[in-house]
Amino acid sequence: MTIRDIDYSDTSRWSHHVDVDFYADLEHFAELFTADWAVADVNASRSAEGFLAAEARLIDEARFNDWIELFTDDCLYWVPITPGGGDPRREVSHAFDDRRRLTDRVFWLRTGLAFSQIPQSRTRRVISNVEVLDDPGTGLRLVRSNFIVHEFRAGVGKTYPGWYAHVLAPHGDGWRIRLKQANLLDSEHGHENLTLVF
Amino acid sequence: MVDVLSVVTDPLDPVSEGWAALVQEDRVHRSLYTEDRVFAEEMVKVFGQTWVYLAHESQLPEPNSFVTGKLGLRPIIITRDRKGTLHAVFNRCAHRAATVCREETGVAKSFQCPYHGWTFRNTGELVGAPWPGGYGDTFNKDELGLGKVTRVASYRGFIFGTLNESAPSLEDFLGQAKPWLDYWIDRAPKGEVIVRAGAHRMVYRGNWKLAYDNGGDGYHPSFSHRSLLEMASRLGDSKDMSYFGKTPDDGAMKIYSLGNGHSVIDQRPNFDGPGSIWANQRPQPGREHFEELIRARYPEDSDRLLDVSAGAQINLSIFPNLLIIGNQIQVIEPLSVDKTQLVWNATSIGGVPDEVNTMRMRTQEDFPAFGEPDDQANFEEVQRGLAVTEVEWILMNRGLNVDGWQTLDANGVVVSAVTDEIHMRSYFEEWLRLMEWTNR
C-alpha cells in the first residue's frame, strides 16, 4: 500500500492534517488570546464556565476516556514550555498532542504500567476569571481562564497555577475542544514528574 | 552475610575507611548516594577536577554573548569576549559574594553587581568599584576580578571547563568518546547543532549519579519503560526500543566502555539502512504530511532527511554530567545529595529544510513525556530504598567475569553485551580517581 492509498480520516491513528495551516492557526489564536476582550454576555459566560467545570471534573475524576471525547478530531492539547506558547515549529513543549498523541497519552495513563503514575495523581482544580470571545466569522468560541491545579501523589502535594486558552468548536447543541492550551506560570522552569493532566 | 549490628553501630565511614573501601570491583556503597559530605566533596572534586560540560556554543551566538550556568554548585557565567573567545567566570562578586549576573542569557560587555556596584568585564577583570577612595592606597584591582574557571575549551561547539590546571587536553579527555560525538554532530549536514529550542527541566528527588547510572543502562528499558512499549504497540508492531526486551545479550546491540568514565550504547544495529530510523520512530504529530512533503521535494535525499528528523539511536554518556540521548543534549545538574535537575536541551540543526526541525521538535517531546518520567520515578524509589542502612551495597556486577561478553576492539575500547553494567564500573573507577585527589 502506498501512502496515497491510506484513508487518513481516523485521527486517533493518523496525523496527516497537522500541516502548515495547523501551525498558522495556532499563531492566529495566539494573537487573539493576547488581546483585550469586551465583557461577554451572561449566557455565553455561563455556558463557557459550565463547559470548563465539566471538563475539569472529568480530569479530576480520572475519566480520561470520557475527557478525550470532548476533543475534536483536529484537536490540540498543548502545554508549552515557552511562556505563552512561543513558536512550536521551532521549540519543544511539555505536551503537543494531536488526537493521536492524546489518545496515546490516555492509553499510557491507563496501562497501569507507568511507574510515574503509580500511585496515580489525585488532582482537583479551580478555574476562574473566565472570559469569552465568540468569533462570528468561524463560529469558534475562545475562552480564557485562570487555573490552580492541586495535585497529591505519593505523599507529596503540589500546586500548579496558570491560565488556560480554550478554542471551542460548535458541536450539536454544545461544544468540542479544538485547542486546549495550558500555560503554566513556571512553564520553562524545573518540574518534578509532570505526568498529570492539566 | 552482613553483620547487621556492627553495620548499624559502625557504618563504613568515608573519612576513616578511605574512598576505595566504598567503591569495589562489583559494588558501591550506599553512602555515595546518601551522605551530604560525600556530595559536598563531589561538588568540589568531580565537578572541578575534570572537564565538565558547561554549555553549547550556539547559546552564545555573537561577541559578548553570555549564558549563566553551574559548575557543580558554583554559579558561573559562560561568556564570549568582544573577539569571540570563550571564558567562564564565577558568578560571585569579589566584594561580598552576590551574583553579578541574574539573567539566563543575553549580550553584555560587563556585569555590574546590583548590590554595591562593582563592575567586571565579561572576561572577569574588575573595571572599578564605586568611590575607590574608601579603600585607601592598598586597593589592587588586578587581584579583585571574578574568579575564573581556569580552563575552558570547546569541542565542535560543546563547551567544557575545569579548574584543574594539570588535566589532559579536552580532546584527550573525550578520547574514544570523540568519534561517537562526531557521528552525532555530523548528522547535521555541516555539523551545525543549535540549542535554542527550549528545554525540559526535569527534577527528581534522588542523587545525581542515578541519572548517570541509567544513561548507559541497557538492562532497564523493557522493565522501566513497559508503559511506553505497551503504548507504542497500540497501533500495531513498533520496533523502537522493543529490541531491548528480546534477548538483548545475544543481539548486535552493544555497550562500549570508552575510558575516562565515558560509555555509549549503540542501538543502530537494530535498524537496517537509510530510512529505517525514521520508519521505526514512534509517530509524531504531522508525521504523514511531513513525509509526503519531504519525499516529493527531495526524492534523492529523503531517507537522510527523514532519519535526522528522528533520534540518533545512540546513548552517549560523557562523565560526569553530559548525556547525549536521541537528539537531546541532556545535562545533569546536581542540586543536593538527594535532588537533581536533568536539563534536556532540544536541538535543531542547520542546513536542512525548516520542516525537518519542526519534526525534530515533535520527536523530542516523546521520550520526556512517556519514557523519562518512569525512569525518574524509579530513581526516586532507589533513593527511598537507600534509606535502609543495614543493606549497604549497590550492585554493578552484571557482566563481570562472564565468559565471552567483553572483547577489546582495535581502538582499545571494551565492547560488551548491552546489559553489561560495565558503564558503572568504569565511571566509578574515574570517580574514585577524582575523589582521591587532594590539594592538601
Side-chain angles (χ1 to χ4, degrees):
Chain A
M1 186 160 65
T2 65
I3 289 174
R4 225 169 253 111
D5 298 327
I6 296 171
D7 171 11
Y8 289 119
S9 59
D10 178 0
T11 54
S12 71
R13 190 172 184 89
W14 305 107
S15 179
H16 192 273
H17 62 287
V18 176
D19 55 11
V20 176
D21 293 339
F22 186 92
Y23 286 103
D25 281 351
L26 295 179
E27 214 171 1
H28 173 62
F29 293 143
E31 279 171 25
L32 294 172
F33 276 112
T34 49
D36 293 328
W37 301 349
V39 176
D41 79 61
V42 68
N43 288 332
S45 295
R46 187 64 209 104
S47 152
E49 284 166 10
F51 185 90
L52 296 185
E55 190 217 343
R57 194 163 46 83
L58 293 181
I59 302 171
D60 290 338
E61 293 176 359
R63 290 165 60 187
F64 300 119
N65 280 345
D66 295 330
W67 175 62
I68 203 173
E69 292 311 312
L70 294 181
F71 286 83
T72 64
D73 288 343
D74 60 350
C75 68
L76 180 69
Y77 167 69
W78 187 17
V79 186
I81 288 178
T82 306
D87 184 350
R89 287 168 290 215
R90 302 157 60 90
E91 294 166 354
V92 285
S93 302
H94 293 298
F96 192 91
D97 294 4
D98 60 354
R99 180 99 201 181
R100 175 169 60 191
R101 192 180 265 177
L102 189 58
T103 309
D104 275 345
R105 186 177 296 277
V106 168
F107 187 94
W108 179 80
L109 285 166
R110 293 170 52 85
T111 55
L113 299 169
F115 302 114
S116 51
Q117 278 295 316
I118 301 174
Q120 193 174 40
S121 294
R122 296 180 198 169
T123 61
R124 194 51 70 167
R125 67 205 64 208
V126 176
I127 300 172
S128 186
N129 302 48
V130 177
E131 296 176 279
V132 182
L133 179 71
D134 282 327
D135 182 351
T138 58
L140 296 173
R141 168 169 286 183
L142 280 64
V143 186
R144 187 164 58 195
S145 60
N146 289 352
F147 65 76
I148 301 171
V149 178
H150 294 279
E151 181 199 28
F152 176 81
R153 184 193 165 270
V156 181
K158 294 177 194 153
T159 303
Y160 298 93
W163 63 278
Y164 287 131
H166 280 80
V167 175
L168 306 180
H171 178 88
D173 294 339
W175 302 91
R176 286 284 179 267
I177 302 169
R178 164 83 183 282
L179 169 68
K180 176 179 181 177
Q181 183 181 342
N183 300 287
L184 304 179
L185 191 62
D186 54 357
S187 56
E188 82 280 36
H189 286 269
H191 295 94
E192 295 174 18
N193 194 349
L194 213 57
T195 54
L196 70 162
V197 172
F198 285 102
Chain B
M1 275 298 287
V2 175
D3 180 340
V4 170
L5 271 182
S6 78
V7 167
V8 172
T9 55
D10 184 24
L12 280 176
D13 181 83
V15 176
S16 61
E17 302 278 341
W19 296 113
L22 306 176
V23 180
Q24 300 181 7
E25 186 188 28
D26 62 341
R27 60 188 63 198
V28 292
H29 195 257
R30 58 177 286 281
S31 59
L32 271 45
Y33 294 75
T34 58
E35 294 297 313
D36 281 326
R37 58 184 170 164
V38 175
F39 180 78
E41 280 204 47
E42 284 178 328
M43 292 305 101
V44 173
K45 294 175 175 177
V46 178
F47 286 79
Q49 291 304 307
T50 189
W51 290 99
V52 174
Y53 177 75
L54 302 181
H56 192 269
E57 283 198 50
S58 60
Q59 295 170 282
L60 300 151
E62 56 181 291
N64 298 315
S65 294
F66 70 86
V67 56
T68 50
K70 291 207 295 187
L71 175 63
L73 296 182
R74 310 167 189 92
I76 60 170
I77 319 168
I78 304 110
T79 67
R80 277 192 202 277
D81 63 25
R82 63 193 169 85
K83 291 177 181 164
T85 306
L86 294 163
H87 304 265
V89 295
F90 294 138
N91 192 1
R92 189 255 188 231
C93 185
H95 173 220
R96 293 251 292 273
T99 58
V100 298
C101 176
R102 294 150 194 205
E103 308 288 323
E104 282 182 28
T105 183
V107 177
K109 291 176 186 163
S110 61
F111 301 101
Q112 184 178 57
C113 180
Y115 195 7
H116 301 92
W118 287 36
T119 301
F120 303 87
R121 268 189 254 288
N122 60 10
T123 48
E125 294 83 9
L126 177 62
V127 177
W131 309 299
Y135 288 104
D137 299 333
T138 57
F139 192 65
N140 184 355
K141 282 202 299 189
D142 295 342
E143 290 173 357
L144 293 169
L146 298 172
K148 291 203 74 162
V149 178
T150 44
R151 294 175 67 191
V152 174
S154 168
Y155 180 74
R156 302 191 65 190
F158 287 73
I159 307 168
F160 294 76
T162 180
L163 304 174
N164 183 354
E165 293 289 358
S166 57
S169 70
L170 175 59
E171 293 217 14
D172 286 349
F173 161 79
L174 292 172
Q176 294 295 344
K178 227 167 45 171
W180 295 92
L181 194 52
D182 285 338
Y183 153 73
W184 189 86
I185 294 168
D186 288 330
R187 296 181 83 222
K190 288 177 184 160
E192 189 191 351
V193 173
I194 306 154
V195 179
R196 254 173 291 166
H200 294 89
R201 290 185 164 81
M202 306 176 75
V203 178
Y204 66 88
R205 298 180 187 211
N207 187 262
W208 67 273
K209 293 188 292 299
L210 294 168
Y212 202 86
D213 294 345
N214 193 66
D217 183 328
Y219 196 16
H220 78 289
S222 45
F223 303 95
S224 193
H225 297 308
R226 280 178 69 190
S227 66
L228 185 149
L229 294 170
E230 182 92 359
M231 178 193 91
S233 65
R234 178 176 77 85
L235 297 172
D237 246 4
S238 168
K239 190 170 174 186
D240 191 25
M241 273 183 55
S242 61
Y243 39 75
F244 278 105
K246 293 173 185 159
T247 58
D249 296 335
D250 307 326
M253 187 168 44
K254 297 293 180 196
I255 181 161
Y256 299 75
S257 178
L258 303 170
N260 296 340
H262 315 324
S263 64
V264 68
I265 286 177
D266 190 2
Q267 302 184 39
R268 290 172 301 169
N270 298 297
F271 299 90
D272 29 57
S276 173
I277 289 179
W278 169 257
N280 290 290
Q281 176 70 45
R282 276 183 300 282
Q284 319 91 324
R287 175 188 173 89
E288 288 79 0
H289 176 78
F290 168 74
E291 179 168 353
E292 264 180 26
L293 181 146
I294 294 293
R295 292 214 184 276
R297 264 196 223 158
Y298 312 96
E300 305 298 316
D301 204 17
S302 57
D303 281 336
R304 185 186 66 86
L305 289 171
L306 293 169
D307 277 345
V308 301
S309 307
Q313 303 300 342
I314 64 168
N315 299 39
L316 174 61
S317 305
I318 296 178
F319 189 71
N321 70 331
L322 175 62
L323 305 172
I324 304 285
I325 296 185
N327 293 332
Q328 275 114 327
I329 299 173
Q330 191 186 134
V331 186
I332 303 173
E333 293 185 2
L335 301 176
S336 64
V337 68
D338 55 2
K339 200 166 188 183
T340 307
Q341 175 165 272
L342 291 187
V343 180
W344 292 62
N345 293 288
T347 64
S348 310
I349 55 177
V352 294
D354 290 344
E355 292 85 354
V356 167
N357 279 318
T358 297
M359 194 48 55
R360 281 174 71 99
M361 295 306 108
R362 302 293 81 81
T363 300
Q364 291 175 95
E365 288 157 351
D366 185 72
F367 198 78
F370 304 115
E372 184 66 16
D374 286 346
D375 277 340
Q376 294 199 1
N378 279 324
F379 302 168
E380 294 188 343
E381 296 304 318
V382 170
Q383 196 72 32
R384 268 161 39 90
L386 284 168
V388 177
T389 46
E390 288 76 8
V391 185
E392 295 179 89
W393 299 98
I394 289 177
L395 299 181
M396 51 179 188
N397 56 341
R398 188 175 170 83
L400 183 66
N401 303 323
V402 177
D403 272 350
W405 269 33
Q406 289 144 26
T407 55
L408 210 57
D409 77 5
N411 299 317
V413 168
V414 184
V415 187
S416 189
V418 73
T419 67
D420 195 328
E421 285 165 343
I422 189 171
H423 67 293
M424 286 180 71
R425 297 192 295 273
S426 65
Y427 97 75
F428 270 113
E429 203 179 306
E430 176 69 1
W431 183 93
L432 187 59
R433 188 184 72 76
L434 293 165
M435 291 296 274
E436 287 181 333
W437 171 84
T438 173
N439 61 352
R440 287 186 284 272

